[in-house]
Amino acid sequence: MTPLIGIPACARIKTPGPIHHVGEKYINAVVNGAEGLPVLIPALGGNVDLDELVARLDGLLLTGSPSNVEPHHYGGPASREGTEHDPKRDATTLPLIRKAVAAGLPLLAICRGIQELNVAFGGSLHQLVHEVDGKRDHRSDKSKAIDRRYDPAHPLHLTPGGMLARLYGAEEVMVNSLHAQGIDRLGAGLMVEGTAPDGLIEAVSVIGARAFALGVQWHPEHPSLESPVSKPLFQAFARACRERAEARARARAA
């Protein structure tokens, strides 16, 4: 069965009015990487019945975004002037994450997604990682062409015995780096799956999750779903989503 995989949208104010949008690379990642049917979820917060939504889906992909989680969600200081936020997405994804994990809905969280996952579990964020003592600059080089910004940027040290270490069969892999924010205090119930050389947490899993539940700070969806880092990740997510779809089909037929 082709699993239905939800992708929460970002909300932007554009002329002539607000829009809800998802980058095509994430849609392609669901179709070609996770072998699923993408279902775009508008950022409507409490105007969406999240319990019904979770019950109808077979997977959830949380995307990256130029916007940042509003710091009041994790007790952080006010953002620097000019920081882009998306309160409608926050109002949708933060409760959706908690419901998805509780229901055993497979979850893959990318970039902003891992930050949302951490906040949803009570963690906090560094708003500007490059200004934190001892941390490197994890932002992309804007002088490079778009695709070159996704080149491998640093090694990811994998937690021995963790989900990612088992998935890759390695102690470390090379990942790209295109983010200014990152995990500060780890959320309760999350396990560190990998760290950057400066110690920044770049991959987490949900302890005791009923299904695949993983967040990564890098961008496995671009530039190639066939890379040795991206392919195993999406294959594992795809397996979990198919299992969910098959289980739902059996329940309907019973």
Side-chain angles (χ1 to χ4, degrees), residues 25-252:
K25 63 179 181 175
Y26 298 110
I27 296 171
N28 288 337
V30 165
V31 174
N32 300 314
E35 300 176 351
L37 179 64
V39 178
L40 308 191
I41 304 169
L44 295 176
N47 290 325
V48 175
D49 186 330
L50 298 180
D51 291 308
E52 182 178 1
L53 178 64
V54 167
R56 292 190 177 196
L57 293 176
D58 303 307
L60 183 65
L61 179 73
L62 299 172
T63 73
S65 172
S67 68
N68 296 317
V69 177
E70 289 194 307
H72 71 79
H73 289 293
Y74 54 87
S79 300
R80 187 167 295 176
E81 185 176 353
T83 301
E84 185 175 348
H85 292 297
D86 189 344
K88 289 185 176 181
R89 171 162 168 164
D90 292 346
T92 304
T93 56
L94 296 181
L96 178 58
I97 289 167
R98 292 185 281 264
K99 289 180 180 295
V101 172
L105 183 67
L107 167 70
L108 176 58
I110 296 172
C111 197
R112 189 194 208 268
I114 190 178
Q115 296 163 17
E116 292 170 323
L117 176 61
N118 190 55
V119 171
F121 275 76
S124 65
L125 303 175
H126 292 301
Q127 295 187 34
L128 297 166
V129 173
H130 53 283
E131 295 185 3
V132 177
D133 288 344
K135 303 301 183 190
R136 58 169 282 164
D137 190 343
H138 287 261
R139 296 173 296 178
S140 64
D141 185 348
K142 298 300 191 294
S143 68
K144 293 182 178 180
I146 292 293
D147 283 349
R148 295 306 305 272
R149 297 177 196 176
Y150 290 85
D151 287 347
H154 65 73
L156 178 78
H157 304 305
L158 302 175
T159 300
M163 180 191 300
L164 278 183
R166 297 194 304 272
L167 190 63
Y168 292 129
E171 296 181 354
E172 70 175 38
V173 294
M174 291 294 294
V175 297
N176 54 39
S177 188
L178 298 93
H179 60 102
Q181 296 210 321
I183 292 176
D184 180 6
R185 182 183 70 254
L186 184 66
L190 299 181
M191 170 183 166
V192 176
E193 291 282 345
T195 58
D198 61 4
L200 187 69
I201 298 170
E202 295 230 343
V204 300
S205 60
V206 179
I207 298 171
R210 294 167 51 194
F212 183 99
L214 184 74
V216 300
Q217 185 59 74
W218 70 94
H219 284 265
E221 83 288 349
H222 196 76
S224 173
L225 295 170
E226 294 297 316
S227 80
V229 174
S230 300
K231 189 171 183 177
L233 187 61
F234 280 105
Q235 285 180 330
F237 180 51
R239 284 194 297 272
C241 294
R242 284 197 301 272
E243 289 172 2
R244 164 91 171 187
E246 291 165 0
R248 290 203 308 122
R250 289 194 297 270
R252 290 195 299 270

Side-chain angles (χ1 to χ4, degrees), residues 7-12 14 19-23 40 63 65-66 86 89:
I7 313 176
C10 297
R12 298 273 185 89
K14 297 281 187 180
I19 62 172
H20 298 253
H21 69 96
V22 172
L40 308 191
T63 73
S65 172
D86 189 344
R89 171 162 168 164

